[in-house]
Amino acid sequence: MSETMIENINLSKQEEEQREKPSLEDRPIVICARDIVKSFGERLILKGISVNVHHGEVLVVIGPSGCGKSTLLRCLNGLEPIDSGEIELDGELLTKPGTNWNLVRQKIGMVFQNYELFPHLNVMDNILLGPIKVQKRKKTEAKQKASAWLERVGLLDRADSYPRELSGGQKQRVAIVRALTMAPEVMLFDEVTASLDPEMVREVLDVMLSLASQGLTMVIVTHEMGFAKAVADKIIFMDEGHIVENAPPDVFFNNPETSRAKKFLNMFEFKGIKKV
Amino acid sequence: MARLMEGLWITVWISMLSVGLSVLFGIPFGLLMAAKTRVVAKLMRIYLEFIRVMPILVMLFLFYYSLSRVFGINLSAYFVSVLVFTIWGAAEMADLVRASVTSLPAHQWESGRALGLSSLQVSLFIIVPQAIRRLLPGVINLTTRMIKTTPFVFFINIPDLMKVGQQIVEVAGMRNHLASVWVYGFIFFIYFIICYPISLFSRYLEGRWQ
Ligand SMILES: Nc1ncnc2c1ncn2[C@@H]1O[C@H](COP(=O)(O)OP(=O)(O)OP(=O)(O)O)[C@@H](O)[C@H]1O
Ligand SMILES: [Mg+2]
């Protein structure tokens, strides 16, 4: 459906180069995960995941449903404890006793699939809760930042609305602003458009594209392949708890190495043909 | 008339005191029921079901007449009525608290944590405010049910609204055959006047807080 639409996203050439070429591999590593193993009860979900996220990099994680993408993101900001492995943020080891995860989570923003705004607070109060209660910032300063972000995503006029008065796409944009107002170093997005009506997908993806072009470090889980191709610096393909491929988007989409990745991509091709 | 008002006063304070105590005891019980520990939740469940099937009147009699006879303790009728209503109310209240806490989607908790809020902050700023909003209509509903159930204290000789009404009817009935219609009709009206605004208020809150 939105496949063709998203194909059309054209980051200007200039922006793309700016963001990409000054070799990402040389930039400092923001998140470094080594050999993460995670199980729920008896079931092994992540079977040794290693990945680096460089400063300014957009990493897109794709893979079949249930392969552990969400679990990986949740492990990265400590929402799920891991069984073994190491996670570093800015070179500092997080997976050790005594880590203040509340502090870590201020630096790692996360947006989920389901609209998770707080229904009893209006848009502005939703956004300000973190900056004021957690970061103890001044209300006027935080509000200024929040307004600036809201303006950027085109929602400044909804600052006093309650979540129930917003559409799905608007709620997700507010959720993104809420995370951004904490001024995180890196943002995690877990299928933020998966439960949106098709016509609202684009407005949310556009916000993420503009963040990417601005150089924000991001890890994105998505099923929107066109978007993945446009936004990613690096694609990670996961299957059954392993990273099966790790490649730049043009390589991955045009020339996937493994048959599993081919099969996965074909699934989307087929879907695309059927809808036309 | 003045005596009716006295009766009304008794009705009101017995129900208010009972509601207050029910809320006080019901909240921790409800949190226990919502807790993960299966055993505690089961025990609370049994308690609730037991209280629910037990007629209030039987409990009143049991505490007022039987217990005092068996143990030789003389409990005042007021004490017994508040006690019984609280036992009942706390059970209902606990169930309301359990429902309002468990019906909050888990990702509310999670998205709070993802913002860097501590668990105390998540409870304070996200869970409790929402739980209260969900709780209030139920509490108000319980209040009206309690007010409507208070006439039972009549049977353990507390001069509540009904009892006073009956006495008036007995005296006046000698002269006026329609006295019972007037008096009970008036009492009916008083109950309506008390309960209806409360239930309106609860509907208003429900509408406002969705
Ligand atoms: N809290 C949990 N307890 C038990 N099992 C879980 C839990 N969370 C996830 N799982 C299981 O872990 C596996 C991976 O889940 P995960 O949500 O990470 O997959 P995913 O790749 O994000 O899938 P999707 O594309 O459908 O979102 C699934 O089989 C799921 O059932
Ligand atoms: Mg998922």
Side-chain angles (χ1 to χ4, degrees):
Chain A
M1 89 257 101
S2 45
E3 203 74 347
T4 46
M5 205 165 80
I6 291 152
E7 218 82 66
N8 292 335
I9 294 174
N10 49 359
L11 273 177
S12 80
K13 277 269 155 48
Q14 205 185 359
E15 279 174 338
E16 187 135 336
E17 265 152 20
Q18 234 179 36
R19 188 181 90 231
E20 207 170 348
K21 291 312 162 203
S23 179
L24 277 167
E25 302 297 322
D26 294 341
R27 300 209 200 151
I29 293 174
V30 181
I31 292 183
C32 170
R34 277 190 297 270
D35 239 350
I36 296 184
V37 175
K38 166 76 192 170
S39 50
F40 287 113
E42 298 285 282
R43 285 187 55 212
L44 206 52
I45 305 295
L46 300 180
K47 304 170 184 167
I49 300 281
S50 299
V51 65
N52 287 336
V53 186
H54 295 262
H55 186 79
E57 184 174 37
V58 178
L59 182 76
V60 172
V61 182
I62 62 180
S65 187
C67 69
K69 304 181 297 292
S70 303
T71 307
L72 174 62
L73 290 198
R74 294 157 51 79
C75 288
L76 290 182
N77 74 350
L79 283 178
E80 295 286 356
I82 60 175
D83 302 348
S84 66
E86 291 180 336
I87 303 171
E88 283 176 6
L89 178 68
D90 298 326
E92 199 180 316
L93 188 65
L94 300 181
T95 43
K96 63 172 197 307
T99 295
N100 182 351
W101 281 102
N102 293 334
L103 203 68
V104 171
R105 291 186 193 121
Q106 295 173 37
K107 299 183 188 164
I108 307 181
M110 181 158 183
V111 184
F112 301 83
Q113 168 178 347
N114 296 306
Y115 330 122
E116 27 48 297
L117 298 180
F118 308 126
H120 62 297
L121 299 176
N122 68 21
V123 166
M124 187 52 90
D125 290 338
N126 258 280
I127 298 171
L128 293 184
L129 191 62
I132 290 178
K133 301 293 182 195
V134 179
Q135 297 179 320
K136 313 282 182 214
R137 281 155 57 183
K138 286 235 171 57
K139 187 164 181 185
T140 43
E141 179 270 342
K143 206 165 172 173
Q144 221 168 13
K145 288 269 160 49
S147 302
W149 278 116
L150 278 176
E151 173 131 51
R152 251 193 78 178
V153 304
L155 288 175
L156 189 53
D157 55 330
R158 307 311 300 268
D160 297 326
S161 303
Y162 279 84
R164 64 174 175 279
E165 299 160 352
L166 303 180
S167 73
Q170 291 173 328
K171 278 189 257 194
Q172 282 301 51
R173 281 184 280 159
V174 172
I176 292 173
V177 168
R178 187 174 68 182
L180 287 171
T181 308
M182 304 280 285
E185 287 175 34
V186 47
M187 288 277 288
L188 313 178
F189 294 88
D190 189 3
E191 292 189 48
V192 290
T193 58
S195 27
L196 294 180
D197 290 337
E199 70 269 24
M200 290 168 189
V201 169
R202 183 59 194 257
E203 65 192 42
V204 175
L205 295 184
D206 276 341
V207 168
M208 290 162 70
L209 274 169
S210 109
L211 294 174
S213 68
Q214 220 191 16
L216 183 69
T217 313
M218 307 198 278
V219 181
I220 302 173
V221 173
T222 185
H223 281 301
E224 304 278 353
M225 290 305 138
F227 170 67
K229 209 185 285 189
V231 79
D233 294 312
K234 198 159 76 187
I235 302 267
I236 279 184
F237 175 67
M238 281 178 68
D239 196 14
E240 294 179 358
H242 293 287
I243 292 184
V244 181
E245 294 205 24
N246 179 346
D250 44 335
V251 176
F252 177 78
F253 284 105
N254 301 327
N255 258 321
E257 269 176 39
T258 59
S259 58
R260 278 198 270 185
K262 276 182 197 135
K263 221 171 114 192
F264 179 74
L265 288 173
N266 275 338
M267 213 167 65
F268 285 90
E269 292 297 319
F270 180 56
K271 254 191 188 163
I273 290 163
K274 240 173 107 174
K275 293 280 161 70
V276 172
Chain B
M1 189 67 195
R3 292 192 51 213
L4 272 180
M5 283 306 135
E6 263 171 49
L8 173 65
W9 174 237
I10 288 172
T11 297
V12 167
W13 82 249
I14 287 183
S15 24
M16 287 310 147
L17 189 59
S18 307
V19 169
L21 290 173
S22 300
V23 170
L24 205 66
F25 290 113
I27 288 175
F29 284 173
L31 292 177
L32 280 180
M33 286 174 85
K36 300 277 190 314
T37 27
R38 286 266 163 265
V39 190
V40 181
K42 247 291 113 39
L43 279 177
M44 292 306 302
R45 191 86 238 157
I46 292 171
Y47 166 66
L48 175 68
E49 294 301 332
F50 184 76
I51 301 295
R52 276 198 175 149
V53 294
M54 188 89 165
I56 298 291
L57 191 55
V58 176
M59 277 206 283
L60 282 174
F61 275 42
L62 185 71
F63 278 88
Y64 188 60
Y65 295 114
S66 314
L67 283 190
S68 53
R69 194 102 4 120
V70 174
F71 297 108
I73 32 172
N74 230 338
L75 301 172
S76 100
Y78 294 97
F79 179 80
V80 167
S81 48
V82 171
L83 180 69
V84 167
F85 283 120
T86 301
I87 289 175
W88 167 52
E92 295 283 355
M93 186 65 203
D95 200 40
L96 288 173
V97 170
R98 181 199 56 77
S100 75
V101 170
T102 50
S103 70
L104 281 178
H107 59 239
Q108 284 289 311
W109 182 267
E110 204 147 74
S111 47
R113 292 313 301 268
L115 282 175
L117 294 152
S118 67
S119 17
L120 182 67
Q121 287 173 320
V122 175
S123 309
L124 223 56
F125 302 128
I126 299 169
I127 304 300
V128 170
Q130 289 185 65
I132 288 176
R133 280 165 168 74
R134 284 162 192 238
L135 207 53
L136 218 58
V139 173
I140 289 168
N141 182 271
L142 181 64
T143 308
T144 58
R145 273 163 65 206
M146 239 181 225
I147 293 174
K148 282 190 294 191
T149 318
T150 43
F152 280 150
V153 302
F154 170 103
F155 292 103
I156 53 174
N157 299 318
I158 293 180
D160 81 319
L161 197 53
M162 275 304 285
K163 186 79 185 177
V164 173
Q166 194 203 28
Q167 287 165 351
I168 294 175
V169 170
E170 269 168 13
V171 175
M174 314 263 187
R175 284 168 279 132
N176 187 346
H177 287 294
L178 282 179
S180 71
V181 176
W182 284 112
V183 173
Y184 291 134
F186 182 67
I187 290 175
F188 180 85
F189 182 69
I190 290 181
Y191 274 109
F192 179 79
I193 289 282
I194 302 176
C195 291
Y196 189 62
I198 297 181
S199 82
L200 271 189
F201 181 57
S202 122
R203 207 163 315 149
Y204 163 77
L205 286 183
E206 257 170 288
R208 235 188 88 166
W209 287 337
Q210 84 202 120

